[in-house]
Amino acid sequence: MAGGSDVATPESVGRQQFDELLDPSFDATHYAHELVRRRDTSLELKADKISSIMNDLCTTRDALDARLRATVLGTHEQILEQVLGVASVDVTLEQVEDQVREIKQYMHALRTKIRVPYEQALEYTNQARNLQLATQHVRATSKFMQLVRRLGVQIPEGEGRPDYALAALTLVDIERLVASSDLCGIDVVDRALAMEVAPRRQQTMNEANEMLIGGMRRQHQSDVGSGLQILFNLGVISNAVDTRIQASITALHTLVAGRIDPRALHAGVREHNARATAIDGRDMVGIDSILWTRLEDMIDAVLSSGLEVRVLERVLQRKRDVLRVDARTDGMRVDASYLDVVAAQLGDRVLALWWALAVDTITAEIRSACDESSVVRQILTNSYPRLVQLFLPRLEPLLAARLGGVISVRNAESSVASVLAADGEIGYASDFDLAQSPNVQYSDWGMRVLWIRLLSVFEAEYVSKAASRMDDSVTRCFPAPPPAGLVDAQSTWSQRHNTKRDELTAVNTVPNRKLVASVVRSVGTELEMAKSDARLCAMVARAAARAIASFVAVTKDRLTSVMSNPQVVDPCAASAHPLTRSVIGLINCVEALRVGVAELCQPNEQPLTASAQAVLCTCRDELQTFIDAQSDVLLSAADRAISSVLLDVEDPSLWSQAEHALQWLQIQVLEPLDTRPSRRIHLMTDSYLTLFVHTVCATMPLTEATKLRLASELPQLEFACSQAASTVGVRVTGDAYKSVRQMRPLLFMSACDLAQVLGDKSSEWSSVSELDLLNHVVCRVATEGAGVVPHELLECSRREWLGCVAGSAFVESTSVCRNSEMQHLWDTRDLSVSCRAVIHECLNRMLKHKLADDLVALIQAALSMK
């Protein structure tokens, strides 16, 4: 072909062309079109180009053929070697098969030699086992017949005395032998079981039950013990005890069922009243009398059954069988009692099981009657203390800890803990015991079961009603405010009769003292009714405390409302406000309540329980704290007013205010107040006298008229303080009183005599303080001569100066000294030293003026005082 330069050789064909040809999706038509497109993209395809393409394809074919040939020739030797290897492996496998075949033949021969002796040995073994079983059956049958003959000796058919305890052991051995040896179906065994064993077993069970039931009924522990011994030997003691418990509960249910049914109660009332009417008509009763009588009969039935069960438990606790205990108790310890065996199988002690069922029986009957009749429920609720006394001390032989009590080994701690958690707010002191039955405590399991399942409901209702009665007595003391129409009518009436509205408010604010006494009586009555039960008494005491707290809260609100008017507690008012007596009346009401509560706390013939007394004592102390606080408000108001007036009493017109305030304190507060704040009044009067002495000594100018006025005011103040103090039984004595009495002659002493008094350290004027004497000297010299007084030197007011002399009770000492030149003398840490330094500075400055000789001597005597 033309165009040899464009023809491809086999070596120039690349690996990529072979890959295209080997592609599974190779398409010849598409491949041809691609070759043409690569050669020329024009529309016309010339012959030389087509020849070139064909040459390329041929070259590619030749190259592929050459490569295939080379590949086949290269791998032929390897294939031959592998074929030879497979042939050698096949020969080896045939040799292995021959060897395996020989081994199988050898194993077959060996199995034949072993199997025959093994089968013969197995046959001999089966024969020996069958022979052993036959021997065991014969031996068991022989032993069975021996046990039957022994049973016949222990329980003879004639006149012999049977030994049921040993016979019980023989019966158990027979039962175990029959059960373990499978003797059923043997004629001699079946005939002996039916004719010999079964009748004697029934006879033994009947005898054990008769001794047990009769011993429990007669409280005869020997018979009970004999019966239990037989039942224990028979291995049915737990079932027998459980049967006795259920029988006792069934008998109790039969006795109490329908006894307090409302229809039965009404029928009993009609029958009793019909008999009473037929006789003389005097012995007529109501439903409550029949109810309590039948409840007493029910409790007596519970006690009777409980005593029988107690005897059973006591005997169970004492009985032990050391010889056979391991077989009877399923691996329990050797020293275990019969009670431990029964408790382990029944889940609890005998008396505890019976008591829980008995309480459930009584509870179901009582609750059924209460559900059907509200009258029965009301009787039991209102007479809850009597209901408690009905159970105690009647049931004390069952519940008393010293007699054994009802002890449970199941959920004892959880039941007690649950009730204690419910009683957390009661706040017992230390006693759970009942006053009428000190041997029974609420912490005992038996009493807890009774309270949780029966008494708790009635107790809650009773306490609620008691609290309601006490709250009602408090409410009667503070009636609700009148409606709007009545208020308008009161206003109209007061205008017609010239009555002030405050007077009507004062009358309506203070409760009647009789109503307050009724609160104390209500609390005392409720506590008296509940004190037979410590728990109930504590709960009623708590309810009483809440009622008293509500009384105090209402009183406090009224006091706050009344005292919001500043004129009510204003001692300097022209006339006493009507509501002032209302404040005193409210305080007196609380005091009357406190006195009543204190009387309830006093021990008597039948004192309250410790828990109730603790609650009442706390109430008494809280009432006393409230009274002291409210009284302190009035006394503090009077104290502030009187002290403020005495500081400014240099003005003659202010003395009448001080006297008026003291009269207000005496007449409006102390005389009508039932409580006696003796210590507070004693301190107040002493402070008034001392403060007035400070005021007198600092009075300037000290003219003759001023001396006469002060001399007359001193005894007046002394008399007023004595009258106020005598109202609360206090006498005005002490240094303050002596200083007042010594101050009067000092006012009229000459300068020479006063200088002699200052120089005489052992004089009778020692009750007057040094600062007061120095103040008096300064005022006297300033009045008769020249100089400045201390408050002018400090550039403060006279009131501030008197406050510093009195001990900074009325002023702020740090702001008194306003003169910068005097700051070096003013020491706020010790006011007495500062005041003395200022007075000495005044006296030293006075010496610089021209004074009379007697004044100079007086100043020098004052400066020489230490």
Side-chain angles (χ1 to χ4, degrees), residues 528-546:
E528 184 68 23
M529 295 178 62
K531 71 180 182 181
S532 60
D533 183 358
R535 174 190 173 82
L536 179 63
C537 190
M539 296 185 67
V540 173
R542 286 287 179 182
R546 291 191 291 269

Side-chain angles (χ1 to χ4, degrees), residues 326-495:
D326 56 341
R328 300 279 86 80
T329 60
D330 295 332
M332 293 185 63
R333 64 184 187 275
V334 175
D335 61 342
S337 64
Y338 288 2
L339 182 60
D340 297 331
V341 177
V342 173
Q345 296 184 8
L346 297 184
D348 205 347
R349 293 167 66 100
V350 176
L351 187 58
L353 289 172
W354 176 88
W355 175 250
L357 295 175
V359 171
D360 289 341
T361 302
I362 298 297
T363 302
E365 189 67 21
I366 293 178
R367 288 186 177 178
S368 175
C370 292
D371 293 340
E372 294 182 7
S373 174
S374 60
V375 176
V376 175
R377 188 179 192 89
Q378 184 176 2
I379 292 173
L380 295 179
T381 301
N382 294 340
S383 302
Y384 174 72
R386 183 177 178 181
L387 182 62
V388 176
Q389 294 178 2
L390 185 65
F391 285 95
L392 297 170
R394 283 178 179 268
L395 297 180
E396 181 176 336
L398 291 178
L399 302 178
R402 67 181 184 85
L403 299 177
V406 181
I407 302 174
S408 175
V409 298
R410 179 183 59 186
N411 299 330
E413 296 181 357
S414 61
S415 62
V416 174
S418 62
V419 179
L420 289 177
D423 299 341
E425 64 175 11
I426 297 179
Y428 295 109
S430 61
D431 54 327
F432 283 84
D433 57 312
L434 304 177
Q436 81 279 13
S437 183
N439 297 317
V440 180
Q441 297 180 352
Y442 270 101
S443 57
D444 296 339
W445 189 86
M447 190 61 197
R448 284 294 178 183
V449 171
L450 179 62
W451 182 85
I452 292 173
R453 302 185 182 183
L454 176 60
L455 300 180
S456 58
V457 177
F458 298 104
E459 180 189 79
E461 294 182 0
Y462 178 83
V463 173
S464 177
K465 288 187 176 182
S468 177
R469 289 191 291 266
M470 290 184 286
D471 291 339
D472 291 342
S473 64
V474 173
T475 304
R476 288 193 295 270
C477 295
F478 302 98
L486 183 58
V487 173
D488 297 337
Q490 287 182 348
S491 302
T492 304
W493 183 86
S494 62
Q495 292 175 1

Side-chain angles (χ1 to χ4, degrees), residues 129-167:
R129 184 171 60 251
N130 294 333
L131 180 60
Q132 184 179 3
L133 290 175
T135 304
Q136 290 178 356
H137 276 76
V138 172
R139 186 179 300 167
T141 305
S142 175
K143 185 177 180 180
F144 173 81
M145 298 307 297
Q146 291 177 3
L147 291 175
V148 170
R149 285 194 294 271
R150 186 171 69 184
L151 180 62
V153 173
Q154 293 170 348
I155 305 179
E157 295 182 356
E159 298 179 356
R161 183 176 181 180
D163 190 346
Y164 291 105
L166 295 178

Side-chain angles (χ1 to χ4, degrees), residues 133-134 136-142 144-145 177-178 181-194:
L133 290 175
Q136 290 178 356
H137 276 76
V138 172
R139 186 179 300 167
T141 305
S142 175
F144 173 81
M145 298 307 297
L177 180 61
V178 172
S181 301
D182 192 16
L183 300 179
C184 297
I186 301 176
D187 293 338
V188 64
V189 173
D190 293 341
R191 187 167 54 254
L193 287 175

